[in-house]
Amino acid sequence: MPTEADLAGFYAAGYSEAHGQLQQQQANRGHYRTHLRALARACGRRVPESRLLDFGSSYPILVEEAIAAGMQAVAVDDSVQVHQWSAASGIPCLKSAQIGDIPNQSIDILRLSHVLEHLVDPKPTLAVLLEKVKVGGLVYISQPNFPVFRAQACDIDLKDSVWPTHLHFFSAASLVRLANLSGLTIFGFDTHPLPSLAEQERLVAAVDPDCARLLGCFKGTRTRSFGRSGFPWYLGENSECWARKTGPRQTSDVDTRAHGAKLVFGRSGRIAISVGNFKSRIAWLMRTRSQ
């Protein structure tokens, strides 16, 4: 495993250029406009009222679109090229070491798109970022999804299983486990896109017999199916997790089962979370019905 310094140097040097990130981000402008509206709805706020942090932004086209729509938004990325482009474009962009400059509980929406799998240790990084998010705030995570539910050999060539660019390989179950341990309440989770029929057969064969037990952590979580195919919704190529930051965890009252830790809130915290979850579920239902 590389050190944090090794990783920072790797991404600062030329990762964004080598992977054509500017062209990819520019091509996604239209999607980002729609995506920002979906994030604001799920957060229960209008777009101009929302404060967004896009961690691991690459070229911050999404942040540029957010600012144009009236959001207060900031990008975080360690690439030298990204910072040069951001400075020339007038887009606020911090390095990961500058996260402390953001006031605690000031962010409405934390976005991590294809980021966690690149980190040496995702859990403490997520913990630091969550300090910046308001209680009841939205956390959006997307990343490659792997149909591997425990450590074992797999004879399938899984897409995006590239080392050392990707240091961690999350399944639906392990991503939800990380979210639960981080004090998040998930209200929506899906994977996409639908694989080919041949790939479906290979993926289903790779699923462990005990995956049904592990997927019990999705009880109460809204998910979409792939429709008439009958193919399991949790085996798509990429995960999309919608969650809300909950209150502080009481360390003496921990349940280590699939549903994660028990959480204790004050009255105002419970009301804020209940209202936020209600708004989020309505927004999620509207979004899923429109797709």
Side-chain angles (χ1 to χ4, degrees), residues 108-155:
D108 298 301
I109 302 168
L110 171 62
R111 182 177 184 270
L112 302 105
S113 180
H114 288 256
V115 175
L116 292 180
E117 67 273 17
H118 294 266
L119 303 178
V120 173
D121 198 346
K123 188 171 182 288
T125 301
L126 183 57
V128 169
L129 293 171
L130 287 175
E131 291 178 356
K132 310 304 175 184
V133 180
K134 298 174 184 176
V135 172
L138 175 71
V139 179
Y140 172 86
I141 302 171
S142 63
Q143 61 187 38
N145 179 59
F146 295 89
V148 178
F149 290 84
R150 59 181 169 180
Q152 64 176 13
C154 179
D155 59 359

Side-chain angles (χ1 to χ4, degrees), residues 180-192:
N180 286 340
L181 290 174
S182 299
L184 296 174
T185 298
I186 296 175
F187 61 87
F189 193 104
D190 283 298
T191 65
H192 60 86

Side-chain angles (χ1 to χ4, degrees), residues 135 183 185 245-248 262-270 273:
V135 172
T185 298
K245 177 183 174 180
T246 50
K262 295 179 180 178
L263 303 172
V264 179
F265 320 106
R267 184 171 181 273
S268 61
R270 289 196 300 270
I273 292 166

Side-chain angles (χ1 to χ4, degrees), residues 167-244:
L167 302 177
H168 297 276
F169 308 102
F170 287 93
S171 68
S174 62
L175 176 54
V176 168
R177 178 65 171 163
L178 174 62
N180 286 340
L181 290 174
S182 299
L184 296 174
T185 298
I186 296 175
F187 61 87
F189 193 104
D190 283 298
T191 65
H192 60 86
L194 175 64
S196 67
L197 290 175
E199 189 69 9
Q200 288 180 33
E201 294 178 0
R202 295 170 59 197
L203 286 173
V204 171
V207 176
D208 297 334
D210 59 351
C211 74
R213 177 182 61 82
L214 292 172
L215 287 168
C217 62
F218 286 97
K219 183 179 180 181
T221 299
R222 183 177 297 280
T223 59
R224 294 196 309 270
S225 70
F226 282 122
R228 293 187 298 273
S229 70
F231 185 70
W233 59 265
Y234 51 83
L235 294 183
E237 181 181 320
N238 297 290
S239 296
E240 187 178 66
C241 177
W242 300 73
R244 189 166 296 283

Side-chain angles (χ1 to χ4, degrees), residues 3 6 19 22 25 30 39 50 64 70 97 103 114 124 127 154 163 187 193 207 233 260 271 275 288:
T3 65
D6 292 337
H19 289 77
L22 180 57
Q25 297 297 321
L39 291 174
S50 304
E64 186 178 36
H114 288 256
C154 179
W163 177 275
F187 61 87
V207 176
W233 59 265
I271 292 173
V275 171
T288 55

